[in-house]
């Protein structure tokens, strides 16, 4: 009888661990960077410094996982104050009218043991279109710094800014925008 109770307890513990887990993006350790061609001579690099969001990670069935991220447009930083003011302005990202960019996943398809394609809807400049990110799970487990369950990801993708209605500087500034994301997410602290 004791063996049956022990087996039931193990099964219950395994079932609990197999449940999807809610994570919150750590804004201090999540970075969204971009690269765009400038006059065919070089690429301008930049990033957004304010990213928030949440993830649901289902380790047993990754296809049930999801991510929702919100980026503050005014946090754009390309390393040049004058250019950043232009980027925030009406002709480029129009932070006054559209203060956020939002990504909400719609599908996760595993492509390897630690890789997946994450497709979702990106809302930018008041328009929503699909984007696919190639995602690598770097690590998942207990973080040594605060003992909380933590997941770290790297992701890459690309989009054509013209699909969202951005055509300023066409011919001089490229249409294709490369995206690179480094994300860290943690389970909320318990008291």
């Amino acid at each position: 009888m004791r063996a049956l109770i022990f087996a039931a307890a193990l099964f219950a513990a395994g079932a609990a661990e197999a449940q999807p887990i809610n994570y919150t993006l750590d804004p201090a350790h999540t970075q969204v960077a971009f690269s765009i061609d400038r006059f065919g001579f070089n690429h301008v690099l930049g990033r957004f410094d304010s990213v928030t969001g949440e993830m649901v990670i289902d380790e047993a069935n990754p296809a049930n996982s999801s991510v929702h991220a919100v980026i503050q447009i005014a946090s754009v930083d390309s390393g040049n104050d004058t250019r950043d003011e232009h980027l925030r302005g009406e002709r480029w990202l129009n932070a006054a009218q559209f203060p956020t960019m939002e990504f909400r996943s719609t599908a996760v398809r595993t492509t390897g043991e630690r890789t997946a394609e994450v497709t979702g809807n990106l809302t930018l400049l008041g328009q929503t279109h699909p984007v696919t990110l190639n995602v690598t799970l770097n690590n998942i487990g207990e973080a040594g710094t605060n003992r909380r369950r933590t997941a770290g990801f790297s992701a890459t993708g690309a989009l054509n800014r013209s699909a969202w209605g951005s055509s300023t500087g066409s011919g001089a500034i490229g249409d294709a925008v490369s995206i690179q994301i480094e994300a860290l997410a943690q389970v909320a602290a318990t008291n």
Side-chain angles (χ1 to χ4, degrees):
M1 182 66 154
R2 254 195 263 185
L4 186 57
I5 293 170
F6 180 70
L10 281 177
F11 177 78
E17 288 177 18
Q19 296 297 314
I21 299 174
N22 295 322
Y23 290 77
T24 301
L25 287 175
D26 178 349
H29 296 98
T30 298
Q31 300 157 332
V32 176
F34 62 88
S35 170
I36 188 167
D37 179 74
R38 181 182 177 277
F39 296 104
F41 287 103
N42 68 331
H43 285 79
V44 171
L45 305 176
R47 68 179 192 267
F48 292 92
D49 292 331
S50 180
V51 183
T52 57
E54 57 276 338
M55 307 175 92
V56 176
I57 300 175
D58 187 337
E59 292 181 58
N61 188 0
N64 290 336
S65 299
S66 63
V67 60
H68 173 235
V70 177
I71 299 167
Q72 299 298 317
I73 296 296
S75 74
V76 68
D77 183 351
S78 68
N80 180 282
D81 292 341
T82 301
R83 181 173 46 229
D84 293 344
E85 284 306 312
H86 289 300
L87 289 173
R88 292 180 189 110
E90 184 177 347
R91 295 184 64 223
W92 289 94
L93 295 172
N94 200 350
Q97 185 174 356
F98 305 107
T100 62
M101 178 184 343
E102 184 173 359
F103 179 81
R104 189 177 298 273
S105 65
T106 56
V108 175
R109 184 179 72 82
T110 56
T111 56
E113 187 177 323
R114 291 189 164 268
T115 59
E117 285 184 349
V118 177
T119 301
N121 290 322
L122 178 68
T123 301
L124 172 65
L125 293 167
Q127 297 187 36
T128 302
H129 300 287
V131 170
T132 298
L133 300 172
N134 297 306
V135 180
T136 298
L137 170 62
N138 299 320
N139 198 2
I140 192 165
E142 187 177 284
T145 55
N146 60 18
R147 316 298 270 176
R148 288 164 51 193
R149 188 148 183 87
T150 302
F153 297 89
S154 297
T156 59
L159 59 86
N160 290 326
R161 65 187 179 98
S162 59
W164 282 263
S166 175
S167 60
T168 301
S170 293
I173 306 300
D175 187 34
V177 180
S178 297
I179 303 164
Q180 183 173 349
I181 301 167
E182 292 295 327
L184 186 77
Q186 293 190 318
V187 172
T190 57
N191 294 335

